[in-house]
Amino acid sequence: MLNCRETTQLVSKSLDRHLTWRERFAVNLHLIICKYCKRFSQQLIAMRSAFNRISKLIENDHNIQLPSATKTRITNAIESIKD
């Protein structure tokens, strides 16, 4: 059984790579019994979704008064956080 530290590390890694079936099983089992790790997992998912939306808004909003190079740099920085 995973402890909270191991679970949060695997939840974070799951944003970067696919977990093995054993890792997914262990994480899901822990999330069933630990409301704090479940909340952490939900918050990471929400932040990733927000980053995606912000990135798309910056790319598509022509009302933002930033130079194109700056908009691109911000978008790339957000993309590097997601990846």
Side-chain angles (χ1 to χ4, degrees), residues 4 6 8 17 26 36 39-40 44 46 48 61-62 69 72:
C4 291
E6 294 166 331
T8 55
R17 67 171 176 89
Y36 303 108
R39 186 177 302 143
F40 174 79
L44 276 185
R48 185 176 193 167
D61 190 346
H62 300 290
T72 302

Side-chain angles (χ1 to χ4, degrees), residues 34-50:
C34 182
K35 67 180 182 180
Y36 303 108
C37 289
K38 184 174 183 173
R39 186 177 302 143
F40 174 79
S41 175
Q42 291 169 337
Q43 288 171 342
L44 276 185
I45 292 168
M47 285 190 304
R48 185 176 193 167
S49 176

Side-chain angles (χ1 to χ4, degrees), residues 21-55:
W21 71 270
R22 289 179 191 212
E23 290 171 327
R24 284 192 315 271
F25 179 79
V27 166
N28 287 330
L29 183 61
H30 185 88
L31 294 180
I32 289 171
I33 62 170
C34 182
K35 67 180 182 180
Y36 303 108
C37 289
K38 184 174 183 173
R39 186 177 302 143
F40 174 79
S41 175
Q42 291 169 337
Q43 288 171 342
L44 276 185
I45 292 168
M47 285 190 304
R48 185 176 193 167
S49 176
F51 284 139
N52 285 336
R53 285 193 310 270
I54 289 169
S55 176

Side-chain angles (χ1 to χ4, degrees), residues 51 55 58-59 69-83:
F51 284 139
S55 176
I58 290 171
E59 286 177 11
T70 303
K71 288 172 80 172
T72 302
R73 196 169 61 247
I74 292 170
T75 301
N76 290 340
I78 292 171
E79 291 291 326
S80 71
I81 292 170
K82 293 188 315 187
D83 298 332

